[in-house]
Amino acid sequence: MAALAGFPDNAAHLRAELEWVHQLIASEIRAASSGEAGAGVDEFAGLCISREEVEHYLGREPARSNGGGVADLARRQLGDDVTRARAALDLRAARSLASGVDLRLERLVRAFDLDGQARTALLCAAAAELDAQVSRMFAYLQNDATKKRPTFGLLARLIMRRLADPVGLWQLFPPTSPLFADRLLDSFSEVAHTPLPARESRPAAGVVEFLLGIDSLPAPLAHAVELVPSTEPIDDLAYHVHHRAIVQDLVRYRHTIAPLPFCYIAGPAGAGHRLIAAALSATLGKGLLVARWVALRSIAGGVEEAARLLSREARLRNCLVLLDGVDENVGDPDGERAKPNQVETLLCGLAGADVIATGTIAPAELRHRLGLRAIGFELPYPTVDERREIWRRHLPPGTDVDVAADVPQLAQKFRFTPAQIAHVVQVAEMAAPHATVARPFLEGVDLHARCREEAQRGLHLFCQKIVPRFGWDDIVLPADTHAQLQEICRWVKDRSRVYETWGFGTKLAVGRGVTVLFSGSSGTGKTMSAEIIASDLQLDLFRVDLSRIVSKYIGETEKNLSRIFEQSAIGNCVLFFDEADALFGKRTEVKDAHDRYANIEVNYLLSEMDRSEGIIIVSTNLKGNLDPAFIRRFSHVVEYPVPNEQLRQTIWCKAFPADTPRNADVDFDFLAQRFNLAGGHIKNIVLTSAFLAAADAREIGMEHVIRATKREYQKIGRICSKSDFGPYYGLVRDAEVS
């Protein structure tokens, strides 16, 4: 035996184990044929119960724990050969392990601390799945051609080399056995009311594949869990200083307490949660299983079954478990405590494994919602300088100089995480018209377009995108109002310098965003100003659709607002609340539940504006309708007065496109002097006059403008008086008489 060599690989060891199972079954067949009453094959077994079988039951002696009879003696004699073969096999396996050969069966036995009896039961059950001859011999021993998997009664005979009494059988296979508790054997292949001795056994999903050396996860977990290969250490990016610090803390906790206490890492999606888990698992000499929390909940059998399977895979593969997105769909904090805590159930099932959870909500909020103790860490968004470095690291080699020159602007405009930047570059490479495998050809326009697509993801659900059509030359405003709008643009462009380079960011815990209030009568240029600001900043403009935001369900409005605030800050787009009095209205005295929840929405908006890091524009016709607490939170308040005569004349002149056929009798001085209207009304009049002239097949003349002005007066409820229309009053009066 000392000269026996180890196995060269896992396959050779598994073949030897199957040969040993053949030998074990052969010894049982020979022992059964040597004189056990009732032994042999009954061709009608399973179809009827014979009189001979009943007579055998009535005449048998009580089972003895020490065995007895000719059959038991034969088993002991034949079993000596099986025992010697088992010892030789174990010796060869030990030598293989000592030389570094990975034997999957031995790894499984050690991972779950299986004793010899449990090991034999598992091996026999697996052999029935791997070897057709074994399955037919099992059917022979069980006198039933349909039972090709060993029953637990037969497994007991093979393990104990004698018949097991009913009590001894349950002691051999208790529900707490690792075979069942750790989901190694599936004892429910038949209906639940089948007695244990007659119940067939089979390996649980994924066990046989693991023994064969196949590293794919079992089917129930395949859609929810990913086995991540080992990765390189965390690189030297400045942003990764946070990640390295978290890994050091986790390693210290792991060396102090084993397994690792439940840890939760918060941060924006794509900030590098998985990078931390991969680095920690590599440091601990483990693999990494990444489980998506929402997908785990959909596994057949519920969270309990998912926990058992995931725990088994973690132990089999010596892996750390990363629960990704554990904060998704956790529900209302108050309502969640009234429900069974599925996260806690999952963690109980994973007891003994190293587990890290990730999400976007803060650790304190997660503890409150789930009622769980967790060691919390937070990853911030990268700063502008850090984003600039990440962009340069991800651009492919040989990138054009002009594209590299756009990196500072991209880093400034788009508040992306490393994963988002990597995704944008990857998509831009694939979509580039002149790209080749050898040398990707990127253009700055491509990168900007892909960045916008990434930033807008999720906004279209609640907002309407507005394509800016106007520039600074198109709007007519008082000089001071015009200057305020330009100051807003400069504020946005210089934020990085003021907050980061000059250090003002250290004085502000929150509220680094740009929040603007446009207040004025309808038609004075508020919407046009929002378009001009977005155009000047080369940012996308999204008008918030209140019909999609406001919900009758308590808490849903706040959730919807939270999504658009977060997404707009990431993409650095302009968020425009037009006619926002309904959302930003004054808080009222609480008289009923409706008042209380309406006030909650206002309070939520106030806190969001304090935390906002995006660009938010709110417009209102009546500033007095807004809650006074909002006014303090606006970084800029712009008043839009009704234009004076000089401004009105400029608006009248600019309202006619250059290609419009216009008669020389159109008197802009008269129109500006007599009609005290805002720019929006003037544009309506000009458009109406164009249609009137088109109907007459003539140029636009003063007559058409006067008639159009009359229609606008009627629309807004003004009286067409002679003092306003002067010498053209006859056109208005004649039209009324006719």
Side-chain angles (χ1 to χ4, degrees):
M1 185 177 295
L4 293 175
F7 298 102
D9 53 35
N10 179 69
H13 175 247
L14 193 57
R15 292 190 187 98
E17 292 287 355
L18 291 177
E19 291 175 5
W20 181 80
V21 172
H22 272 267
Q23 189 174 355
L24 177 65
I25 296 173
S27 69
E28 176 62 24
I29 292 174
R30 294 191 190 99
S33 303
S34 65
E36 178 184 353
V41 176
D42 180 0
E43 59 181 328
F44 297 108
L47 301 177
C48 67
I49 301 174
S50 66
R51 178 62 179 266
E52 290 78 6
E53 181 180 0
V54 174
E55 291 292 341
H56 170 63
Y57 293 156
L58 293 175
R60 72 174 184 176
E61 295 181 3
R64 296 187 299 273
S65 60
N66 60 349
V70 178
D72 287 339
L73 178 61
R75 283 193 186 88
R76 285 195 295 272
Q77 293 172 345
L78 293 170
D80 291 340
D81 294 336
V82 176
T83 302
R84 285 191 292 269
R86 178 75 261 167
L89 198 56
D90 291 342
L91 179 60
R92 295 185 65 190
R95 290 177 175 172
S96 300
L97 293 174
S99 62
V101 179
D102 179 26
L103 304 182
R104 291 298 182 93
L105 177 60
E106 299 303 321
R107 195 204 298 185
L108 184 149
V109 169
R110 294 186 179 188
F112 297 98
D113 195 22
L114 300 183
D115 59 21
Q117 294 178 335
R119 185 186 194 280
T120 301
L122 178 64
L123 183 58
C124 290
E129 306 295 323
L130 293 170
D131 192 331
Q133 292 182 5
V134 169
S135 63
R136 291 185 63 81
M137 286 190 287
F138 282 149
Y140 174 85
L141 282 172
Q142 295 170 135
N143 278 357
D144 191 339
T146 64
K147 285 193 173 183
K148 297 182 179 182
R149 296 186 178 94
T151 62
F152 286 97
L154 177 57
L155 285 178
R157 286 167 56 190
L158 293 173
I159 292 170
M160 303 175 67
R161 311 287 173 83
R162 60 178 173 79
L163 293 174
D165 65 275
V167 176
L169 182 65
W170 277 98
Q171 291 176 340
L172 185 62
F173 297 112
T176 56
S177 168
L179 294 175
F180 309 127
D182 294 320
R183 297 294 284 114
L184 298 176
L185 281 186
D186 182 4
S187 62
F188 302 100
S189 57
E190 297 181 352
V191 291
H193 59 263
T194 303
L196 180 63
R199 194 179 304 169
E200 286 187 89
S201 66
R202 66 179 177 186
V207 171
V208 172
E209 290 82 355
F210 176 80
L211 295 177
L212 290 170
I214 301 173
D215 282 325
S216 61
L217 293 169
L221 291 180
H223 75 289
V225 182
E226 178 185 359
L227 182 61
V228 179
S230 58
T231 58
E232 296 295 327
I234 299 176
D235 58 31
D236 58 351
L237 283 174
Y239 178 58
H240 287 161
V241 66
H242 310 287
H243 304 66
R244 289 190 289 271
I246 293 175
V247 171
Q248 291 174 0
D249 288 341
L250 291 173
V251 169
R252 187 172 64 254
Y253 289 136
R254 180 61 171 76
H255 289 163
T256 304
I257 305 174
L260 186 71
F262 178 54
C263 298
Y264 171 72
I265 305 173
H273 308 84
R274 185 178 295 194
L275 184 65
I276 294 173
L280 176 63
S281 61
T283 303
L284 299 177
K286 290 175 170 283
L288 178 62
L289 286 172
V290 179
R292 295 177 296 278
W293 164 241
V294 173
L296 279 180
R297 297 169 63 179
S298 64
I299 288 178
V303 175
E304 295 85 353
E305 178 67 9
R308 285 193 290 267
L309 287 173
L310 189 56
S311 176
R312 185 195 75 189
E313 293 301 312
R315 293 177 66 178
L316 272 179
R317 305 174 191 278
N318 189 29
C319 285
L320 179 144
V321 177
L322 175 65
L323 297 179
D324 191 21
V326 76
D327 61 332
E328 293 185 51
N329 299 330
V330 294
D332 179 73
D334 296 328
E336 185 70 22
R337 285 195 293 270
K339 304 174 185 177
N341 192 334
Q342 293 181 315
V343 177
E344 186 175 9
T345 301
L346 182 66
L347 292 177
C348 289
L350 290 173
D354 294 313
V355 180
I356 295 177
T358 68
T360 57
I361 65 175
E365 186 175 354
L366 183 85
R367 296 187 195 103
H368 173 64
R369 290 193 181 189
L370 300 182
L372 293 174
R373 291 184 177 181
I375 300 173
F377 303 92
E378 290 193 68
L379 288 173
Y381 273 100
T383 64
V384 174
D385 290 338
E386 290 169 345
R387 292 199 295 270
R388 193 180 299 121
E389 183 186 11
I390 295 168
W391 271 107
R392 292 192 176 112
R393 187 68 62 90
H394 281 92
L395 288 177
T399 300
D400 191 75
V401 177
D402 294 336
V403 176
D406 286 337
V407 164
Q409 185 180 6
L410 294 172
Q412 171 70 36
K413 286 177 61 175
F414 298 101
R415 192 167 172 248
F416 286 165
T417 60
Q420 289 178 299
I421 292 174
H423 176 72
V424 166
V425 173
Q426 182 182 14
V427 173
E429 284 187 76
M430 292 188 295
H434 306 294
T436 63
V437 176
R439 185 180 184 275
F441 184 81
L442 297 180
E443 295 181 354
V445 176
D446 296 333
L447 283 178
H448 275 273
R450 303 307 166 191
C451 284
R452 284 197 171 98
E453 290 177 3
E454 180 70 22
Q456 294 169 12
R457 200 186 313 177
L459 276 176
H460 292 282
L461 185 62
F462 301 106
C463 305
Q464 174 190 5
K465 184 176 180 180
I466 299 176
V467 179
R469 301 158 294 168
F470 305 109
W472 292 110
D473 294 336
D474 297 312
I475 195 167
V476 179
L477 293 171
D480 187 62
T481 305
H482 196 277
Q484 279 186 281
L485 297 182
Q486 291 184 327
E487 288 172 9
I488 293 170
C489 293
R490 291 306 311 170
W491 189 301
V492 175
K493 294 174 182 178
D494 294 333
R495 281 194 299 177
S496 175
R497 177 185 301 176
V498 172
Y499 288 139
E500 296 177 15
T501 306
W502 291 2
F504 276 84
T506 61
K507 300 293 184 181
L508 298 174
V510 293
R512 300 187 186 185
V514 178
T515 51
V516 183
L517 174 65
F518 290 163
S519 174
S521 302
S522 178
T524 50
K526 300 186 294 296
T527 302
M528 181 185 287
S529 296
E531 293 189 33
I532 291 171
I533 288 175
S535 177
D536 183 82
L537 297 173
Q538 297 183 349
L539 298 177
D540 293 315
L541 177 64
F542 286 88
R543 178 193 283 124
V544 177
D545 189 339
L546 297 183
S547 66
R548 304 180 195 177
I549 289 290
V550 179
S551 173
K552 65 180 180 179
Y553 298 106
I554 295 171
E556 285 300 312
T557 300
E558 290 85 343
K559 288 182 182 178
N560 296 338
L561 286 169
S562 176
R563 292 171 189 161
I564 63 171
F565 278 131
E566 180 181 358
Q567 197 65 35
S568 66
I570 292 173
N572 198 24
C573 58
V574 180
L575 204 60
F576 184 40
F577 289 86
D578 195 13
E579 307 293 343
D581 306 58
L583 276 179
F584 294 81
K586 293 180 179 179
R587 287 167 289 186
T588 60
E589 180 184 353
V590 177
K591 297 180 179 178
D592 54 27
H594 297 286
D595 294 336
R596 184 164 71 90
Y597 287 112
N599 288 346
I600 288 175
E601 291 180 6
V602 175
N603 293 335
Y604 174 79
L605 275 170
L606 289 170
S607 63
E608 277 296 323
M609 289 186 66
D610 274 336
R611 295 194 300 263
S612 172
E613 298 197 15
I615 305 169
I616 302 172
I617 298 177
V618 178
S619 75
T620 179
N621 293 342
L622 294 171
K623 186 169 68 173
N625 288 345
L626 270 63
D627 194 289
F630 283 113
I631 304 301
R632 180 187 64 80
R633 287 168 169 82
F634 287 112
S635 56
H636 300 78
V637 176
V638 183
E639 298 284 352
Y640 287 79
V642 176
N644 58 28
E645 181 180 338
Q646 181 181 356
L647 294 176
R648 289 198 298 271
Q649 184 172 358
T650 305
I651 295 172
W652 277 106
C653 294
K654 289 189 174 185
F656 287 92
D659 297 332
T660 302
R662 189 181 77 243
N663 196 295
D665 68 342
V666 177
D667 189 349
F668 291 123
D669 292 338
F670 176 84
L671 295 172
Q673 180 184 2
R674 292 300 183 97
F675 302 119
N676 187 15
L677 295 169
H681 298 300
I682 293 174
K683 289 184 177 180
N684 290 341
I685 292 172
V686 170
L687 182 62
T688 303
S689 67
F691 279 102
L692 292 174
D696 292 343
R698 290 188 296 159
E699 295 179 334
I700 299 176
M702 193 64 175
E703 175 188 355
H704 301 114
V705 176
I706 292 299
R707 289 165 57 193
T709 304
K710 173 191 172 183
R711 296 301 181 209
E712 190 69 17
Y713 263 46
Q714 290 174 334
K715 184 169 63 175
I716 62 178
R718 285 193 186 180
I719 298 175
C720 299
S721 64
K722 187 174 183 179
S723 60
D724 284 345
F725 287 85
Y728 301 100
Y729 181 67
L731 294 174
V732 177
R733 183 185 57 191
D734 293 343
E736 290 176 349
V737 172
S738 62

